[in-house]
Amino acid sequence: MKRNLAFVILTFLSLLVFAQKGTIKGKVYNAKTNEPIEFANIIIEGTTIGSTSDLDGNYIFTGIDPGFMRLTVSYIGFETTTSSEIQVQGNQTTFVDIAVPEAAFAIQEVVVRQNLNLKRIESPISVLSIGVQEIEKSAGANRDVSKVVQALPGVGATDPNRNDLIVRGGGPSENVFYLDGVEIPVINHFATQGSSGGAIGVINPDFVREINFYTGAFPANRTNALSSVMEIRQKDGSKDRVHTKLSVGASDAALTVDGPIGKKSTFIVSARQSYLQFLFQAIGLPFLPTYNDFQLKYKYEIDKKNELTFIGIGAIDDLVLNTELEQTGTESQKYLLSYLPIYKQWNYTNGLVYKHFGEGFIDQWVLSRNMLRNKNFKFEENDESKNKTSDYMSDEAENKLRFERDYPYSSVKLKVGGGLRYSHYTNDTYRLIFRNTVDTLRYNTELNLWGYQAFAQASDEFFNDRLKLSFGISTAGNNFNKNMSNPLNQLSPRLSASFAVNEKWDINANFGRYAAQPAYTTMGFRNTAGDYVNKNENLKYIISNQAIMGFEFRPMNKMRLSVEGFFKQYNQYPLSVSDGLSIASKGADYGQIGDEEIISTGKGRAYGVEFLFKIMELNNINLTSTYTYFRSEFTNDAGKYLPSSWDTRHLLNLIGSYKLPKNWNIAARWRYVGGAPYTPIDQNKSSLVAAWDITNQPYLDFSNYNSQRLKDSHQLDIRIDKEFYFKKWVLNLYTDIQNAYVFKSQSVPVWTNKDKETGMPLIDASDNSRYVLRELDDNFNGTLLPTIGLIIKI
């Protein structure tokens, strides 16, 4: 009956659909002066469909079939330039403005370069661009930016239900994110304070024009990164009229509105509300999350030489416990309820970007503020009439000002700049801890810090543009202690080189030193006596020395093969005094990390090789294959290298999509991940009644840290889309099936102190100060997760 109903609905919709075509509009302008370029030639890549810009640089395409495409602009005296990927929909107008750089030397004819060969001279290696199609149609991602990035070479994941980015063996705290040039510390709901991971992405995909993701060779103006830099370019609002877009998925609904405000400004704004808590309650999960987020972009063109952009993004997250399952739930559900706290969190980032096109230079000023409030607490036996075993609330607020000046057309391409930051951090902590006996950790912190950064990058081309070199240097610091205030200690030089052997082969390399500030949770930590135990010269910036080499082969215009080898060496990594281990393996759980006594004596190393093979839009087929082999190790307090929690060693992704007739699209992703290491429990400590009752979890045996390893895992995700074009609106229906063949992956063993039959604690008959612990049976899990969604655009 359900199949017949679905068939009838699709047939009915098909009868109503009009054979609508789309329109593309925009402006072609000089990237140096921001002046329009008249009579430039614009074609749709891979076709003979063309247009020409008018006296004001404006162009238009009409009668375009729906789909994903790029535009290529050519004009004598300018470099041939390809736009970011755009999506054309029936009866809709897509806007894209294209900045075209002047050619380094006057030329008499147009030279068309292969699109895949266009790259930034500062970062010729370890950077990939993600277009609209990958974000909108990727299987298993549900239009979540972080999950799309997890399919790139060198990027691992800790858990299918989390968005942690594990890049080339580095931890999730080693990544930085920029939205239209504004740094945003939090990009996920239920974020881990002191890290960058979380459960669900905050970024609304309707805003995203393109993502540039760096896994190395970081530009000098992107400080504080050790493993990756994600630069997200947002769309401008539509210039013709106000548009409305409604997206309804398995877990949330979003409303996006965009359009013009007068002749010189546009806006795009969205709000999203989750209903995941109702779904979780219906299927009997022990935790019930609720999240909301908001996003805004306003762009004002003051004149041809000056423009102003305001962005805003924020989230509100709450997680409560489904305590009804304490009586009716399974053993695993009851175990989770016994230790999970209640989470309440909100965050926002606001930024103002002013851009000025001067004579031979481009200035950019960025003023921003971001804040995170993280609160979680736990009652004994989840009973609010009893005492709390933990109560945590912390604020992180930053006010930043950054200036950049770019000389893109001087004899040597030059970029210089600097910035200031004022940070305010507070922490009010209460929790029970066990150190041979039960103790109480209680402290209150208020920390105010000033920070700075400065950078410069120079680039040039030699031997008829076949050799490209770029040297950058940056430094950063703060007034926390003398060591971190000294700019020489954080000096970070880097050198990139790219040599074009011929039109199809490139050899690329980068060598660099990078520095990252310790987390605010670490700098603001106090012990039971109330002392700032980390406010000494033992806490330093983390330093990473990195080397990358590789080649790229382009046998044809829409095909790419690349191989890269990388080596990352870490120094001054924070080492937990109580655990005797590097905190590099922390950050993939909820709550916070780094709030403990630390010394910066840890070392680490991560090294490996990556392979990428990509076919783009070849007969409506997209294929991507990535494989990474790597090792990730960090030292303990004895200086011995041990596998990190991210040392899965093997990452394989096979991704494909095919555009079928009549606006159908099918996509699939198969992912294979090597087994992650894990640490067995400390049976002696965990069985103590006093110790167990504090956390309701076992304690790990750090003397056997990561000595065990899970089995390898793999998963197939499938997505099917169908778009319907009506006279005045567009409907997109999709279904996304995760774990299509229901693979059961192994998880870390779970231990309980409860009797299987009675559910009561098991006391050791020979020692009533100890529990009898037993391992739960269900440590292999995996379910079929089908979701459906619809997107309506008016």
Side-chain angles (χ1 to χ4, degrees):
M1 181 176 178
K2 291 180 179 178
R3 292 178 182 174
N4 292 336
L5 180 61
F7 176 77
V8 171
I9 292 172
L10 287 176
T11 303
F12 177 71
L13 288 172
S14 298
L15 291 174
L16 293 177
V17 172
F18 294 83
Q20 298 294 335
K21 304 288 187 176
T23 300
I24 308 172
K25 288 183 178 181
K27 183 174 73 173
V28 178
Y29 63 95
N30 188 322
K32 175 182 177 181
T33 65
N34 208 35
E35 295 285 346
I37 300 176
E38 57 187 36
F39 309 125
N41 297 311
I42 308 105
I43 64 168
I44 297 176
E45 191 177 47
T47 74
T48 58
I49 302 172
S51 180
T52 304
S53 60
D54 62 18
L55 294 175
D56 296 317
N58 298 315
Y59 68 90
I60 184 171
F61 289 87
T62 58
I64 305 301
D65 290 329
F68 295 91
M69 57 200 70
R70 298 174 188 268
L71 305 182
T72 299
V73 180
S74 58
Y75 189 67
I76 293 176
F78 289 82
E79 294 186 12
T80 299
T81 302
T82 301
S83 74
S84 56
E85 189 176 51
I86 59 174
Q87 182 179 15
V88 176
Q89 294 183 310
N91 202 38
Q92 302 286 321
T93 300
T94 301
F95 291 89
V96 58
D97 294 340
I98 307 171
V100 184
E102 293 181 1
F105 302 98
I107 56 177
Q108 302 303 316
E109 60 181 349
V110 174
V111 179
V112 180
R113 300 182 182 179
Q114 297 184 40
N115 178 47
L116 292 177
N117 192 32
L118 299 177
K119 61 183 71 175
R120 290 181 60 174
I121 189 171
E122 301 92 341
S123 306
I125 193 170
S126 300
V127 58
L128 288 172
S129 293
I130 300 173
V132 178
Q133 182 171 205
E134 290 178 85
I135 297 169
E136 292 287 343
K137 306 295 185 183
S138 289
N142 278 324
R143 303 174 74 232
D144 191 318
V145 167
S146 295
K147 291 194 182 299
V148 173
V149 169
Q150 287 177 347
L152 297 179
V155 184
T158 57
D159 185 310
N161 300 314
R162 283 186 59 88
N163 280 358
D164 304 291
L165 296 180
I166 311 301
V167 181
R168 289 182 168 175
S173 61
E174 300 178 13
N175 312 302
V176 297
F177 311 94
Y178 287 84
L179 189 66
D180 283 345
V182 178
E183 186 175 3
I184 50 172
V186 179
I187 67 164
N188 289 299
H189 290 284
F190 303 102
T192 305
Q193 188 178 8
S195 185
S196 65
I200 298 168
V202 174
I203 305 293
N204 184 341
D206 295 333
F207 279 65
V208 179
R209 171 73 72 195
E210 187 177 51
I211 298 172
N212 291 317
F213 190 72
Y214 301 78
T215 56
F218 312 128
N221 64 336
R222 298 298 184 239
T223 58
N224 221 45
L226 299 179
S227 281
S228 79
V229 174
M230 183 190 294
E231 291 186 341
I232 305 170
R233 287 181 53 211
Q234 297 187 108
K235 303 173 184 176
D236 296 335
S238 297
K239 298 179 180 179
D240 58 342
R241 61 181 177 87
V242 174
H243 295 260
T244 302
K245 189 172 185 179
L246 174 66
S247 304
V248 179
S251 59
D252 56 51
L255 179 67
T256 304
V257 180
D258 72 292
I261 303 177
K263 295 182 178 181
K264 291 189 174 184
S265 62
T266 61
F267 77 96
I268 177 169
V269 62
S270 74
R272 181 166 55 168
Q273 165 73 59
S274 79
Y275 39 78
L276 199 60
Q277 69 276 22
F278 303 115
L279 175 64
F280 278 27
Q281 189 163 31
I283 63 179
L285 292 181
F287 47 90
L288 306 174
T290 304
Y291 59 87
N292 303 271
D293 56 55
F294 315 90
Q295 197 165 339
L296 166 69
K297 178 180 179 179
Y298 171 79
K299 185 174 181 180
Y300 175 57
E301 185 179 340
I302 303 170
D303 53 41
K304 293 180 180 180
K305 297 294 185 180
N306 301 277
E307 61 185 39
L308 195 65
T309 302
F310 174 81
I311 71 159
I313 186 169
I316 303 172
D317 306 323
D318 288 290
L319 185 146
V320 298
L321 303 180
N322 188 2
T323 53
E324 296 176 1
L325 296 177
E326 289 182 327
Q327 302 299 324
T328 61
T330 65
E331 281 193 297
S332 295
Q333 291 170 336
K334 291 178 180 178
Y335 171 72
L336 288 171
L337 284 171
S338 70
Y339 75 84
L340 279 178
I342 294 172
Y343 291 98
K344 293 184 178 296
Q345 189 179 97
W346 56 261
N347 68 82
Y348 68 84
T349 299
N350 294 324
L352 192 65
V353 181
Y354 168 68
K355 196 170 185 179
H356 170 69
F357 294 85
E359 294 296 328
F361 65 88
I362 302 172
D363 284 348
Q364 182 169 274
W365 291 87
V366 182
L367 177 66
S368 66
R369 174 178 169 83
N370 57 265
M371 183 173 178
L372 165 70
R373 172 163 291 177
N374 184 29
K375 181 176 177 61
N376 57 76
F377 52 90
K378 181 73 173 176
F379 288 97
E380 291 181 16
E381 300 177 356
N382 296 323
D383 187 344
E384 295 186 10
S385 65
K386 296 186 177 182
N387 294 327
K388 289 180 178 179
T389 58
S390 68
D391 193 358
Y392 178 94
M393 190 175 80
S394 177
D395 288 351
E396 290 183 11
E398 295 179 317
N399 301 281
K400 302 173 185 175
L401 177 64
R402 189 177 80 250
F403 169 73
E404 298 182 8
R405 171 164 286 190
D406 192 3
Y407 296 92
Y409 301 104
S410 57
S411 57
V412 175
K413 184 178 178 181
L414 181 65
K415 177 176 283 190
V416 296
L420 294 173
R421 182 189 70 237
Y422 172 72
S423 307
H424 181 68
Y425 172 78
T426 65
N427 190 316
D428 189 358
T429 290
Y430 164 81
R431 67 172 177 262
L432 298 178
I433 56 177
F434 186 84
R435 295 173 181 166
N436 298 321
T437 60
V438 177
D439 199 357
T440 300
L441 176 63
R442 174 166 241 150
Y443 69 91
N444 188 281
T445 289
E446 184 169 359
L447 193 65
N448 297 292
L449 288 175
W450 285 95
Y452 64 87
Q453 68 176 87
F455 60 86
Q457 186 127 16
S459 310
D460 205 356
E461 301 177 348
F462 305 90
F463 305 118
N464 210 19
D465 295 348
R466 294 180 64 188
L467 176 64
K468 301 179 180 181
L469 298 177
S470 182
F471 175 76
I473 190 167
S474 69
T475 188
N478 61 57
N479 63 339
F480 182 75
N481 60 24
K482 291 181 179 179
N483 188 286
M484 288 196 279
S485 66
N486 186 346
L488 297 179
N489 293 335
Q490 291 79 241
L491 203 62
S492 302
R494 68 220 52 201
L495 175 66
S496 292
S498 178
F499 182 72
V501 179
N502 53 42
E503 291 185 354
K504 295 184 177 181
W505 288 89
D506 287 346
I507 300 174
N508 309 301
N510 173 268
F511 305 92
R513 181 180 192 259
Y514 308 100
Q517 176 183 284
Y520 290 114
T521 52
T522 298
M523 292 188 286
F525 176 72
R526 284 179 161 181
N527 60 14
T528 52
D531 301 322
Y532 285 100
V533 293
N534 296 323
K535 196 167 187 179
N536 52 53
E537 299 307 314
N538 291 325
L539 188 64
K540 305 174 183 178
Y541 269 69
I542 306 168
I543 301 297
S544 179
N545 300 306
Q546 302 184 16
I548 312 165
M549 295 191 70
F551 70 85
E552 184 177 308
F553 174 54
R554 299 171 300 280
M556 55 189 297
N557 188 40
K558 297 184 178 182
M559 189 176 297
R560 171 185 180 184
L561 171 67
S562 66
V563 179
E564 296 184 13
F566 62 90
F567 180 82
K568 298 163 67 174
Q569 179 191 54
Y570 294 92
N571 292 305
Q572 300 175 187
Y573 218 100
L575 196 75
S576 168
V577 172
S578 61
D579 299 340
L581 296 165
S582 171
I583 69 168
S585 292
K586 298 183 178 182
D589 207 347
Y590 299 100
Q592 62 280 338
I593 66 165
D595 53 337
E596 57 182 309
E597 185 175 357
I598 292 292
I599 53 174
S600 297
T601 58
K603 296 183 178 181
R605 60 193 179 199
Y607 51 91
V609 61
E610 298 171 355
F611 300 86
L612 168 68
F613 179 69
K614 194 176 184 82
I615 297 175
M616 300 196 320
E617 295 296 336
L618 185 63
N619 298 322
N620 293 327
I621 296 175
N622 289 286
L623 294 174
T624 302
S625 175
T626 71
Y627 172 71
T628 305
Y629 173 79
F630 72 101
R631 298 293 302 272
S632 174
E633 302 167 323
F634 290 83
T635 59
N636 59 10
D637 55 1
K640 181 181 179 181
Y641 280 93
L642 301 173
S644 76
S645 296
W646 333 120
D647 186 46
T648 58
R649 301 187 181 178
H650 301 280
L651 297 170
L652 174 63
N653 287 285
L654 301 177
I655 305 166
S657 68
Y658 181 57
K659 183 182 178 183
L660 296 161
K662 298 184 178 180
N663 304 314
W664 285 88
N665 189 83
I666 184 169
R669 179 181 73 170
W670 187 75
R671 183 175 180 85
Y672 177 93
V673 181
Y678 71 93
T679 304
I681 70 168
D682 185 336
Q683 288 277 358
N684 182 59
K685 183 177 180 180
S686 300
S687 63
L688 290 170
V689 171
W692 181 279
D693 285 350
I694 291 175
T695 62
N696 290 307
Q697 285 182 285
Y699 296 80
L700 300 182
D701 180 8
F702 292 125
S703 64
N704 289 298
Y705 184 72
N706 280 348
S707 59
Q708 308 296 312
R709 193 171 286 271
L710 302 174
K711 295 182 181 297
D712 298 354
S713 64
H714 45 86
Q715 178 173 310
L716 174 65
D717 303 324
I718 300 172
R719 175 171 169 143
I720 301 173
D721 284 75
K722 168 63 175 173
E723 293 181 350
F724 302 90
Y725 298 108
F726 301 90
K727 190 173 182 180
K728 294 185 178 181
W729 58 289
V730 178
L731 171 65
N732 179 18
L733 295 177
Y734 67 88
T735 180
D736 191 280
I737 303 171
Q738 297 182 38
N739 199 16
Y741 53 77
V742 198
F743 177 79
K744 301 287 186 180
S745 60
Q746 184 186 14
S747 58
V748 175
V750 176
W751 295 80
T752 182
N753 67 334
K754 303 291 179 63
D755 181 79
K756 187 173 185 178
E757 301 298 329
T758 66
M760 300 299 293
L762 287 169
I763 301 295
D764 191 335
S766 61
D767 185 353
N768 61 9
S769 68
R770 293 184 178 275
Y771 288 124
V772 176
L773 304 182
R774 65 181 182 86
E775 184 179 344
L776 297 185
D777 299 329
D778 53 349
N779 67 328
F780 283 86
N781 52 72
T783 58
L784 182 72
L785 185 59
T787 60
I788 58 174
L790 65 88
I791 301 171
I792 299 172
K793 184 176 182 181
I794 302 174

